[in-house]
Amino acid sequence: MKYFWHLSLIRRLTVIILLFLLTDKVYSPQYNLYLLPFLVLLDFQIKLRWFYLLEIPNFIQVFFLFAIKQQPILLQGIIFIKYFALIAILISVLRNQVKLTSKHYS
């Protein structure tokens, strides 16, 4: 917990929204929109593959909604991919160290 308070404000807020998305009972595709402004404001660039890993299953889920209803294992696989991407983003936010350069002071 002590490590959490040394993070910048935007990182702390990003961690909070990620924890909300990971622990919420219902995960709606629109919840990714809650995350997007925080990822834009971070003091480092998130690898886009993690965000696309969140968005592509949403597209697949909506596009193949009727086929997935009859095959619950596919739906569980899509949900697993979403949560894997959320955990990867959370680890990236917590581990990435920002090196202070002259552009941070201007």
Side-chain angles (χ1 to χ4, degrees), residues 11-73:
R11 283 193 191 209
R12 283 185 274 171
L13 294 173
T14 305
V15 167
I16 290 169
I17 195 74
L18 283 166
L19 290 175
F20 167 75
L21 292 176
L22 283 168
T23 58
D24 196 20
K25 187 175 182 179
V26 177
Y27 186 85
S28 174
Q30 291 84 5
Y31 288 174
N32 289 348
L33 293 176
Y34 295 167
L35 183 60
L36 190 59
F38 295 101
L39 295 180
V40 170
L41 292 173
L42 277 175
D43 50 3
F44 70 97
Q45 186 174 2
I46 281 283
K47 293 181 180 170
L48 290 178
R49 67 177 169 215
W50 300 124
F51 188 73
Y52 289 136
L53 198 58
L54 284 173
E55 287 302 318
I56 290 171
N58 289 336
F59 175 74
I60 292 171
Q61 185 177 355
V62 171
F63 192 69
F64 296 108
L65 184 63
F66 298 106
I68 291 174
K69 277 187 178 178
Q70 288 133 11
Q71 298 178 0
I73 192 74

